[in-house]
Amino acid sequence: MEHRLWSSGASDKNKAMVEQLQRYGVIKSGKVAEVMEATDRGLFVPPGASPYYDSPMSIGYNVTISAPHMHAACLELLEKHLQPGMSALDVGSGTGYLTACFALMVGPEGRAVGVEHIPELVASSIENIKKSAAAPQLSDRSLSIHIADGREGWPELAPYDAIHVGAAAPQIPQALIEQLKPGGRMVIPVGTVFQELKVVDKKLDGSVSIRDETSVRYVPLTSKDAQLQAN
Ligand code: SAH
């Protein structure tokens, strides 16, 4: 059983997790490794779970925090679109872990926006982020989390250089394509039983190309009622 932040060595365990993802070739970018090292996953996983174990974990409300290798893979796919000063949208921000990583990638001159439809998760994600390396960015408002239906994106701060969707949609929501900047990239799991992680690139002329990266298994991007009634 792993321990929580008050145990000694939490950051060592987080570092070991990042090093393992580097050894497996999931993390290639030095910046992604640095940001995942700075963002202690133990601060985002509920007590009793094993934050550094490479598996999804329940966070209540019928959903999970994604496995570390999926967070790493999405950061890698989006890295060029998470440069300092850029803006990023994280749909289904859950624990806030990846939104915090996005904030560190884009820095205080950039903008990291999380959208999550469970108000309790939004509240706890803000508490998690307050304990993390991204805390100053909550205060300077370069990081914000909003209660909303993420299928509509977050038009107030659009367009985005990077969009990540942390739940699987039956098809790609049109609003999210619209909120992608020309030159921007979205990573989104699509499907119901069988899902593909899709990489959506919007070219400078506004045309869109879509490719399949890998097969995945995410919880559904759905209505709040459908999610809470699941099982
Ligand atoms: N990426 C996050 C959470 C992944 S689970 C993490 O790793 O911590 C997917 C999240 O999407 C859940 O928190 C769920 O509540 C949320 N979600 C599902 N459908 C949604 C919708 N329509 N709008 C906003 N959030 C949604």
Side-chain angles (χ1 to χ4, degrees):
M1 187 60 83
E2 301 284 351
H3 297 281
R4 296 278 295 160
L5 59 155
W6 54 81
S7 77
S8 61
S11 74
D12 286 352
K13 287 180 183 165
N14 191 66
K15 190 166 198 262
M17 178 196 82
V18 173
E19 284 168 358
Q20 189 178 52
L21 292 167
Q22 286 178 297
R23 274 198 302 279
Y24 288 164
V26 183
I27 300 179
K28 298 181 187 75
S29 144
K31 183 70 191 274
V32 168
E34 192 187 302
V35 160
M36 285 185 69
E37 248 181 60
T39 311
D40 184 356
R41 204 177 159 83
L43 301 172
F44 293 85
V45 171
S50 309
Y52 311 107
Y53 185 66
D54 195 13
S55 167
M57 305 271 160
S58 171
I59 56 171
Y61 311 95
N62 290 326
V63 293
T64 51
I65 179 171
S66 300
H69 75 269
M70 280 315 304
H71 283 148
C74 290
L75 283 164
E76 284 284 333
L77 286 167
L78 290 169
E79 198 221 340
K80 287 193 178 58
H81 309 274
L82 294 169
Q83 298 297 310
M86 289 187 169
S87 66
L89 176 67
D90 184 21
V91 173
S93 49
T95 60
Y97 173 81
L98 205 56
T99 323
C101 290
F102 287 172
L104 294 180
M105 296 286 289
V106 301
E109 309 301 318
R111 191 79 217 218
V113 181
V115 174
E116 165 60 53
H117 65 175
I118 305 291
E120 292 87 346
L121 283 176
V122 171
S124 58
S125 69
I126 290 170
E127 292 310 309
N128 299 340
I129 293 167
K130 279 184 184 161
K131 295 178 204 140
S132 81
Q137 294 187 243
L138 264 181
S139 324
D140 72 21
R141 299 186 49 78
S142 59
L143 193 182
S144 56
I145 312 250
H146 309 273
I147 305 170
D149 186 336
R151 293 172 291 189
E152 303 300 325
W154 189 253
E156 286 85 337
L157 293 165
Y160 303 97
D161 299 281
I163 299 180
H164 168 264
V165 183
Q171 62 265 315
I172 304 174
Q174 190 57 33
L176 298 182
I177 295 181
E178 280 162 18
Q179 289 171 36
L180 199 56
K181 227 180 243 186
R185 172 175 279 190
M186 166 160 57
V187 174
I188 177 170
V190 177
T192 49
V193 181
F194 298 101
Q195 302 169 5
E196 293 291 332
L197 190 67
K198 306 241 178 214
V199 176
V200 180
D201 285 308
K202 190 182 267 190
K203 297 184 193 130
L204 291 174
D205 67 5
S207 64
V208 168
S209 73
I210 304 176
R211 69 173 168 86
D212 287 356
E213 175 70 17
T214 178
S215 295
V216 288
R217 204 159 154 198
Y218 280 75
V219 301
L221 185 74
T222 185
S223 71
K224 196 176 146 184
D225 284 351
Q227 180 177 318
L228 294 176
Q229 280 160 22
N231 297 331

